[in-house]
Short mmCIF file of all heavy atoms in Angstrom, two decimals:
data_model
loop_
_atom_site.label_atom_id
_atom_site.label_comp_id
_atom_site.label_asym_id
_atom_site.label_seq_id
_atom_site.Cartn_x
_atom_site.Cartn_y
_atom_site.Cartn_z
N VAL A 739 38.73 1.81 -3.55
CA VAL A 739 37.42 1.97 -4.17
C VAL A 739 36.43 2.48 -3.14
O VAL A 739 36.29 1.90 -2.06
CB VAL A 739 36.93 0.62 -4.75
CG1 VAL A 739 35.54 0.76 -5.33
CG2 VAL A 739 37.91 0.12 -5.82
N GLN A 740 35.77 3.57 -3.47
CA GLN A 740 34.73 4.12 -2.60
C GLN A 740 33.38 3.53 -3.00
O GLN A 740 32.99 3.60 -4.17
CB GLN A 740 34.69 5.63 -2.71
CG GLN A 740 36.00 6.31 -2.36
CD GLN A 740 36.41 6.09 -0.92
OE1 GLN A 740 35.58 6.14 -0.01
NE2 GLN A 740 37.70 5.84 -0.69
N VAL A 741 32.70 2.97 -2.02
CA VAL A 741 31.38 2.37 -2.24
C VAL A 741 30.36 3.16 -1.42
O VAL A 741 30.54 3.32 -0.20
CB VAL A 741 31.37 0.89 -1.82
CG1 VAL A 741 29.97 0.28 -2.01
CG2 VAL A 741 32.41 0.10 -2.62
N VAL A 742 29.33 3.66 -2.08
CA VAL A 742 28.36 4.53 -1.41
C VAL A 742 26.94 4.05 -1.71
O VAL A 742 26.55 3.94 -2.87
CB VAL A 742 28.51 5.99 -1.87
CG1 VAL A 742 27.50 6.88 -1.14
CG2 VAL A 742 29.94 6.48 -1.61
N GLU A 743 26.19 3.79 -0.62
CA GLU A 743 24.79 3.37 -0.76
C GLU A 743 23.86 4.54 -0.51
O GLU A 743 24.22 5.48 0.21
CB GLU A 743 24.42 2.26 0.25
CG GLU A 743 25.32 1.06 0.26
CD GLU A 743 26.31 1.09 1.39
OE1 GLU A 743 26.66 2.21 1.83
OE2 GLU A 743 26.75 0.02 1.84
N SER A 744 22.64 4.42 -1.03
CA SER A 744 21.59 5.39 -0.72
C SER A 744 20.24 4.72 -0.95
O SER A 744 20.17 3.65 -1.56
CB SER A 744 21.71 6.63 -1.61
OG SER A 744 21.56 6.28 -2.97
N GLY A 745 19.20 5.34 -0.40
CA GLY A 745 17.85 4.88 -0.68
C GLY A 745 17.12 4.19 0.44
O GLY A 745 15.97 3.79 0.28
N GLY A 746 17.75 4.03 1.60
CA GLY A 746 17.05 3.40 2.71
C GLY A 746 15.99 4.31 3.29
O GLY A 746 15.82 5.45 2.87
N GLY A 747 15.26 3.77 4.27
CA GLY A 747 14.23 4.56 4.92
C GLY A 747 13.22 3.70 5.63
O GLY A 747 13.43 2.49 5.83
N LEU A 748 12.12 4.34 6.00
CA LEU A 748 11.02 3.67 6.71
C LEU A 748 9.89 3.40 5.72
O LEU A 748 9.48 4.31 4.98
CB LEU A 748 10.53 4.56 7.85
CG LEU A 748 9.28 4.10 8.60
CD1 LEU A 748 9.54 2.77 9.32
CD2 LEU A 748 8.82 5.17 9.57
N VAL A 749 9.41 2.18 5.71
CA VAL A 749 8.32 1.80 4.81
C VAL A 749 7.38 0.85 5.54
O VAL A 749 7.80 0.11 6.43
CB VAL A 749 8.89 1.16 3.53
CG1 VAL A 749 9.62 -0.14 3.84
CG2 VAL A 749 7.81 0.94 2.49
N GLN A 750 6.12 0.89 5.16
CA GLN A 750 5.13 0.00 5.78
C GLN A 750 5.23 -1.41 5.17
O GLN A 750 5.69 -1.56 4.03
CB GLN A 750 3.73 0.55 5.56
CG GLN A 750 3.45 1.83 6.32
CD GLN A 750 2.00 2.25 6.21
OE1 GLN A 750 1.27 1.83 5.32
NE2 GLN A 750 1.57 3.11 7.13
N PRO A 751 4.81 -2.40 5.92
CA PRO A 751 4.80 -3.76 5.36
C PRO A 751 4.01 -3.80 4.06
O PRO A 751 2.95 -3.18 3.94
CB PRO A 751 4.10 -4.57 6.46
CG PRO A 751 4.41 -3.83 7.72
CD PRO A 751 4.41 -2.38 7.34
N GLY A 752 4.56 -4.53 3.09
CA GLY A 752 3.94 -4.59 1.77
C GLY A 752 4.42 -3.51 0.82
O GLY A 752 4.13 -3.57 -0.38
N GLY A 753 5.17 -2.56 1.34
CA GLY A 753 5.66 -1.47 0.51
C GLY A 753 6.93 -1.81 -0.24
O GLY A 753 7.41 -2.95 -0.20
N SER A 754 7.47 -0.80 -0.93
CA SER A 754 8.66 -0.99 -1.76
C SER A 754 9.70 0.08 -1.47
O SER A 754 9.37 1.19 -1.05
CB SER A 754 8.28 -0.92 -3.25
OG SER A 754 7.38 -1.93 -3.61
N LEU A 755 10.95 -0.29 -1.71
CA LEU A 755 12.08 0.63 -1.63
C LEU A 755 13.08 0.24 -2.70
O LEU A 755 13.17 -0.94 -3.07
CB LEU A 755 12.77 0.58 -0.27
CG LEU A 755 12.23 1.39 0.89
CD1 LEU A 755 13.04 1.11 2.15
CD2 LEU A 755 12.20 2.87 0.59
N ARG A 756 13.83 1.20 -3.15
CA ARG A 756 14.91 0.93 -4.10
C ARG A 756 16.21 1.47 -3.53
O ARG A 756 16.33 2.67 -3.27
CB ARG A 756 14.62 1.58 -5.45
CG ARG A 756 15.62 1.20 -6.54
CD ARG A 756 15.48 2.09 -7.74
NE ARG A 756 16.15 1.58 -8.93
CZ ARG A 756 16.64 2.35 -9.89
NH1 ARG A 756 16.54 3.67 -9.78
NH2 ARG A 756 17.21 1.80 -10.95
N LEU A 757 17.17 0.58 -3.35
CA LEU A 757 18.49 0.97 -2.90
C LEU A 757 19.41 1.14 -4.10
O LEU A 757 19.30 0.40 -5.08
CB LEU A 757 19.07 -0.08 -1.95
CG LEU A 757 18.24 -0.45 -0.73
CD1 LEU A 757 19.02 -1.46 0.14
CD2 LEU A 757 17.87 0.77 0.08
N SER A 758 20.32 2.10 -3.97
CA SER A 758 21.31 2.35 -5.01
C SER A 758 22.70 2.31 -4.41
O SER A 758 22.89 2.62 -3.23
CB SER A 758 21.07 3.72 -5.65
OG SER A 758 19.79 3.82 -6.23
N CYS A 759 23.66 1.95 -5.24
CA CYS A 759 25.04 1.89 -4.79
C CYS A 759 25.95 2.23 -5.96
O CYS A 759 25.73 1.75 -7.08
CB CYS A 759 25.36 0.49 -4.25
SG CYS A 759 27.12 0.16 -3.95
N THR A 760 26.95 3.05 -5.71
CA THR A 760 27.95 3.34 -6.72
C THR A 760 29.33 2.96 -6.20
O THR A 760 29.58 3.02 -5.00
CB THR A 760 27.94 4.83 -7.12
OG1 THR A 760 28.18 5.62 -5.96
CG2 THR A 760 26.62 5.23 -7.75
N ALA A 761 30.19 2.58 -7.12
CA ALA A 761 31.56 2.21 -6.77
C ALA A 761 32.52 2.98 -7.67
O ALA A 761 32.37 2.98 -8.89
CB ALA A 761 31.78 0.72 -6.92
N SER A 762 33.51 3.62 -7.06
CA SER A 762 34.41 4.51 -7.80
C SER A 762 35.59 3.74 -8.39
O SER A 762 36.71 3.85 -7.91
CB SER A 762 34.92 5.61 -6.88
OG SER A 762 35.68 5.04 -5.83
#
């Protein structure tokens, strides 16, 4: 099974991010 993440990065305190992951 291939597992792939995306969506990381640099954000300021109090900010938001959304991570995604798919599994084959």
Side-chain angles (χ1 to χ4, degrees):
V739 177
Q740 302 297 319
V741 178
V742 181
E743 307 100 333
S744 62
L748 173 64
V749 64
Q750 292 186 341
S754 298
L755 276 177
R756 187 193 195 208
L757 305 183
S758 300
C759 169
T760 58
S762 63

